Amino acid sequence: MRTILTILAVLALSACGRVQADTPAAQREAVTKACLDGELEAFGLKLDRVGCACASNVLQAQLSPKAMTALEDHARGREKGFSAALAGLSGDEKLMLDPERPAGAPDLRKVAADCL
């Protein structure tokens, strides 16, 4: 009985350490990695390690959940998901996440200005 309880405790601890996909923490992790890899330069984000971590936290707080999901989809290479999420956005968020936005349109640097 003691062995079974020990095994269950170890399994429970290992399960708690994993970050589930599509949670805010997983979104921030994906956006930070994409920022570090230079995949978010089209959206105006070209930062160092500290700047990318800061930007992912600020973006999580400032953008709508739909916009953050679209950014995560782009970061993870899910182009169909990104296109569908982008179509569902409106206003400044849609412009910020449009890789072919017109010159002078707002970009993600506007939102993450404190991290620059």
Side-chain angles (χ1 to χ4, degrees), residues 69-110:
T69 300
L71 195 56
E72 178 193 15
D73 285 344
H74 178 77
R76 294 185 187 277
R78 300 183 210 147
E79 291 306 317
K80 288 182 182 177
F82 174 71
S83 298
L86 186 62
L89 296 176
S90 62
D92 279 353
E93 286 184 338
K94 188 170 189 166
L95 280 173
M96 285 181 206
L97 294 177
D98 186 356
E100 299 172 3
R101 68 185 174 284
D107 57 19
L108 291 180
R109 283 183 297 196
K110 175 183 172 186

Side-chain angles (χ1 to χ4, degrees), residues 9-115:
V10 169
L11 290 174
L13 284 175
S14 65
C16 290
R18 286 186 235 134
V19 176
Q20 292 182 343
D22 298 331
T23 63
Q27 286 181 331
R28 286 191 306 271
E29 181 182 336
V31 170
T32 301
K33 184 177 180 325
C35 178
L36 289 171
D37 293 344
E39 296 173 15
L40 301 182
E41 285 183 38
F43 306 117
L45 287 182
K46 183 177 179 182
L47 304 167
D48 62 359
R49 179 175 292 278
V50 174
C52 286
C54 173
S56 68
N57 285 320
V58 170
L59 291 171
Q60 182 80 49
Q62 298 295 322
L63 294 178
S64 69
K66 285 182 178 182
M68 196 63 189
T69 300
L71 195 56
E72 178 193 15
D73 285 344
H74 178 77
R76 294 185 187 277
R78 300 183 210 147
E79 291 306 317
K80 288 182 182 177
F82 174 71
S83 298
L86 186 62
L89 296 176
S90 62
D92 279 353
E93 286 184 338
K94 188 170 189 166
L95 280 173
M96 285 181 206
L97 294 177
D98 186 356
E100 299 172 3
R101 68 185 174 284
D107 57 19
L108 291 180
R109 283 183 297 196
K110 175 183 172 186
V111 178
D114 293 339
C115 302

